[in-house]
């Protein structure tokens, strides 16, 4: 069995005692999570486990009632969303942020400009910036650069969104269910894309499709009812009776995230 060497990674994200309550309902009940620089961590768990809420807290969208999120040595709790982006945390949303009337290239260029100072936006630039070029290459969308985003397939649109994140040169990427609604060939392409992105980024991927996880996940954190149930390699996690129970239990109820 292939295991990672036990050399300690430099910690990029350190979450401690995170609690979130919505009208008395505890969506997160004391989450601790450390992610090392350069890691690709999969965050899994059934619907309602608190995965999106955790991403919302990291990115400043949701305020926790307790706990801390330290990113690159800086506390993120209490910061506004745009400050978190500026510190180098990029995320995808479950709803699309692509401008349909603009081309793929224009969408990427706009995303890349997000962290540029205002004066540089006022200057007319010729050609394609290095950040945009890199995003086009990584996502394999160079041939679609001049296409209007509105004509893209669902999968291509997801890749564009990942490209838009890369163009912002984040230190941490948070991807919330990037293969949801994708056909099988698009899933495979996305798995390869994530592997490629993870070569030079730290990435947290929320996913609950077991087939996809078995193929592309190595380090996995399982969230269940607002708490970390366990952490380990995909082999360890998928062999754990508690994990099998929460997934198979759902399967018996006929939930959509059934293990096949
Ligand atoms: P996941 O992404 O793992 O499916 P979520 O983080 O979206 O789960 O949700 C965790 C729990 O918190 C769910 O029970 C959900 O209904 C609840 N929840 C999430 N956001 C809100 C909100 N804004 N107001 C009230 N309850 C919420
Ligand atoms: Mg979610």
């Amino acid at each position: 069995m292939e295991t990672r060497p036990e050399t300690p990674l430099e910690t990029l994200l350190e979450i401690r005692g995170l609690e979130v309550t919505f009208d008395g309902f505890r969506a997160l009940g004391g989450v601790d999570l450390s992610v090392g620089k350069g890691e690709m961590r999969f965050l899994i768990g059934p619907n309602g486990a608190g995965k999106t809420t955790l991403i919302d807290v990291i990115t400043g969208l949701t305020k926790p009632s307790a706990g801390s999120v330290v990113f690159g040595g800086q506390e993120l709790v209490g910061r506004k969303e745009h400050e978190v982006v500026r510190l180098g945390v990029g995320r995808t949303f479950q709803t699309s942020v692509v401008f349909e009337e603009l081309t793929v290239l224009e969408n990427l260029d706009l995303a890349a400009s997000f962290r540029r100072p205002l004066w540089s936006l006022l200057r007319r630039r010729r050609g394609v910036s290095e950040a945009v070029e890199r995003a086009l290459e990584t996502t394999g969308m160079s041939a679609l650069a001049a296409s209007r985003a509105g004509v893209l397939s669902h999968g291509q649109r997801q890749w564009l969104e990942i490209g838009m994140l890369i163009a912002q040169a984040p230190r941490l990427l948070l991807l919330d269910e990037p293969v949801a609604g994708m056909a099988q060939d698009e899933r495979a392409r996305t798995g390869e894309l994530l592997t490629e992105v993870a070569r030079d980024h730290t990435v947290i991927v929320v996913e609950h499709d077991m087939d996809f996880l078995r193929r592309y996940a190595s380090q996995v954190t399982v969230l269940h009812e607002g708490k970390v149930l366990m952490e380990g390699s995909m082999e360890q996690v998928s062999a754990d009776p508690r994990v099998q129970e929460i997934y198979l239990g759902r399967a018996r109820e006929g939930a959509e995230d059934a293990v096949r």
Side-chain angles (χ1 to χ4, degrees):
M1 192 175 78
E2 196 186 322
T3 48
R4 284 190 168 223
E6 289 300 312
T7 45
L9 289 167
E10 184 189 330
T11 302
L12 183 64
L13 184 73
E14 182 93 45
I15 295 174
R16 288 285 165 263
L18 210 57
E19 294 180 17
V20 171
T21 304
F22 297 115
D23 300 323
F25 173 76
R26 267 160 84 88
L28 295 182
V31 169
D32 296 331
L33 178 70
S34 296
V35 178
K37 194 161 177 273
E39 236 190 281
M40 173 154 72
R41 178 72 62 88
F42 280 78
L43 186 60
I44 77 169
N47 277 326
K51 305 180 298 294
T52 298
T53 302
L54 183 56
I55 289 185
D56 288 347
V57 174
I58 297 169
T59 55
L61 194 65
T62 297
K63 299 268 162 286
S65 52
S68 76
V69 178
V70 176
F71 170 71
Q74 287 178 292
E75 179 60 63
L76 297 186
V77 171
R79 290 185 196 264
K80 298 202 167 61
E81 282 179 85
H82 68 267
E83 292 179 74
V84 174
V85 172
R86 266 168 225 286
L87 285 172
V89 180
R91 75 173 290 182
T92 56
F93 286 88
Q94 272 166 332
T95 50
S96 183
V97 293
V98 162
F99 290 98
E100 304 210 339
E101 297 306 317
L102 300 183
T103 65
V104 164
L105 185 68
E106 287 164 343
N107 269 286
L108 289 170
D109 203 36
L110 205 62
S113 70
F114 197 70
R115 292 181 78 196
R116 276 209 307 267
L118 195 57
W119 59 264
S120 76
L121 298 182
L122 299 173
R123 269 203 318 208
R124 258 185 88 90
R125 287 167 305 112
R126 245 180 280 145
V128 177
S129 76
E130 207 179 297
V132 170
E133 194 67 62
R134 198 173 47 236
L136 277 174
E137 264 170 38
T138 310
T139 55
M141 294 188 81
S142 300
L144 291 166
S147 303
R148 229 169 37 82
V151 306
L152 298 179
S153 73
H154 173 69
Q156 290 167 337
R157 181 188 281 255
Q158 295 293 107
W159 303 330
L160 172 57
E161 291 199 32
I162 294 171
M164 288 163 72
L165 282 187
I166 297 169
Q168 293 176 15
R171 287 194 286 159
L172 172 66
L173 280 93
L174 305 168
L175 307 177
D176 199 352
E177 301 195 23
V179 300
M182 279 189 185
Q184 209 48 249
D185 56 335
E186 288 181 331
R187 282 170 185 253
R189 173 73 193 97
T190 306
E192 287 156 22
L193 169 56
L194 295 185
T195 307
E196 179 72 28
V197 169
R199 271 190 236 285
D200 44 14
H201 295 85
T202 309
V203 188
I204 298 178
V205 187
V206 170
E207 195 45 71
H208 58 193
D209 180 279
M210 276 290 175
D211 285 340
F212 187 81
L213 291 164
R214 284 201 191 92
R215 190 164 304 181
Y216 299 104
S218 49
Q219 290 303 112
V220 178
T221 299
V222 186
L223 213 58
H224 180 51
E225 295 177 346
K227 290 193 167 133
V228 173
L229 179 74
M230 77 171 294
E231 223 165 58
S233 68
M234 189 54 203
E235 289 85 358
Q236 291 168 326
V237 162
S238 58
D240 191 280
R242 295 168 302 169
V243 175
Q244 290 175 353
E245 174 59 29
I246 62 172
Y247 273 90
L248 292 169
R250 292 246 151 184
R252 272 184 238 115
E253 290 161 21
E256 60 180 333
D257 49 342
V259 178
R260 280 180 291 270

